[in-house]
Amino acid sequence: MNTAQPTALPKAAQFVLFGAMGDLAWRLVGPALFNLYLDGQLPAELRLVGVDREISTPALLERLREGVQRFSRRGSPTAEQWSGFSARVATLPMDLQDNAAYSELAEMLRTSRATPVTRIYYLAIPPSLFEAVASGLAHADLHLDEAHTRIVVEKPLGRDLDSFRAIDNTLRQHFAERQIYRMDHFLGKETVQNILAMRFANPIFEPVWNRRYIDHVTITVAETIGVAHRAGYYEHAGALRDMVQNHLMQLMCLIAMEPPVAYDADDIRNKKLDVLLACRPIRPDDVSAVAVRGQYAGGWIQSVEAQGYRDESGVAPDSNSETYAAVKLLVDNWRWQDVPFYLRTGKRLGAAVSEISIRFRDVPHNAFPVNTGFNAQPVRLVIQIQPQEGIILKFMAKEPGSPLRLSPVDMRFAYGEAFSKPSPAAYETLLHDLLQGDATLFMRSDQVQAAWKLLMPIIQTWEGNPAPDFPNYPAGSWGPEAAERLVARDGRAWLTPSQWHPKTRAGLPGANEQ
Ligand code: BG6
């Protein structure tokens, strides 16, 4: 992202990819690095060092190439493109738990350059190995030079507040906060970055962006996929930890934060942290009133049969892991007092769609005759994150001719139509920022802690009380009935995602627009 900060790509960098033969490197990191290479967005002298227990340069190149073919937005590389990229790749087989091996890594990274080389340690490995790597790097003095050395970690960053703190303390024992880059890939999505541009590069939204004009906000991240091959992780995580604690709460922060003074990593992250700190704490007794969990049973998604979660490979037949979570949060400050933020996410829902709906208040007085269709649809601003990328303003307009009739209409901005440039993948944006040393789109420790802290009462209540009604929503539906009640209790309904096809929607909970 362009920032006001004096960041620039370094001339020389070493990108050490721990877990280079693993899934994350294969699906996301490798394709992103390759696309940055194609776009001329990598440092001129970038060396990619793949580290894994068993690895060789030909094996890594084959794996990376396969990953690029399958997952890159650009598809298969040409022979010329690939050979240019491959020339930058080296490997080191390493037992990550063996401190002595880090001296060998240090030897490999030693350069004769007079100017500093930016060094990235990307931990595409399970968190159980973070400590070994952080202390191994420190053992070989590879953590030094704060300004040019960065370590990157991805979620899961703990299962709860205590385990997050343990992981974080381990990292911070050897690295300074400014060196630690915690990924939340949602923050790299163009449409998510655009929330700040929309709110703060235009004067028209801020005056109405408050409790006086906004009735409530819904944030939906719905997926049609199940857990696929990730049951081992998901069984211990569940939707609340996997999605709400990070992605959805980050979206909420971008909607609710105060204007930053400058487009600066710390200023923006301070403002986002303020939102989390202002969230009303959830009392254990209130959990059932503000949070709903669900787990999918078998069903049909767009005419394809899907099995239930408990039948997926690697899932316990009596699993208590939630594949759906909905939470109501209140932000206790002047701007948002009593404006609910409803967050929901689930797997195996009827459509893959992520969007944020800002529902404005009704007009204070209806001057139109009742039979004109007035009040058929409230004014909403819909921020489409994926698969559609854009913004829709939904409002009422007069139909042509007489008698006087009012109808809901949409004003649309679509990324694809407005810009000829394709959007980079989130990982591309984030890796580019990382190489430049711009931490704006990365999570700071205090933010992650605040998010865990807020959700702990829900986590503890759910863990201590297995759900009696699991599975409680069929694959292909819009989640459990209880999620409807969560908002209905407030006299509201979920705002149905704009891409949800009316036919698919019929008869499903959430089908009725408010
Ligand atoms: C990940 C979660 O962080 O985000 C996955 O672990 C989820 O469970 C994924 O499917 C969704 O990301 P995206 O970019 O595909 O919407």
Side-chain angles (χ1 to χ4, degrees), residues 75 208 255 309 355 422 439:
V208 296
I255 296 295
Y309 178 68
E355 64 182 39

Side-chain angles (χ1 to χ4, degrees), residues 222-224 299-304 348-353 474-479 496-513:
E223 299 185 284
T224 49
W300 293 81
I301 303 180
Q302 288 147 13
S303 313
V304 179
R348 289 281 190 236
L349 296 178
V353 45
S477 74
W478 206 221
T496 307
S498 49
Q499 298 100 327
W500 196 258
H501 192 274
K503 267 193 187 157
T504 336
R505 197 167 81 194
L508 292 172
N512 303 321
E513 299 202 2

Side-chain angles (χ1 to χ4, degrees), residues 155 185-186 189 223 225 230 233 242-243 247 347 386:
K155 61 173 248 278
H185 79 281
F186 260 55
K189 292 180 192 276
E223 299 185 284
I225 54 167
R230 297 168 74 225
Y233 152 71
D242 184 46
M243 299 291 286
H247 307 325
K347 297 219 180 277
Q386 57 192 29

Side-chain angles (χ1 to χ4, degrees), residues 80 107 112 152 182 220 235 239 273 277 320 391 394 398:
E80 196 187 335
E107 198 50 46
S112 52
V152 189
R182 300 174 191 82
T220 298
E235 275 283 88
L273 175 65
L277 298 177
N320 186 44
I391 296 174
K394 292 177 169 285
K398 182 191 169 300

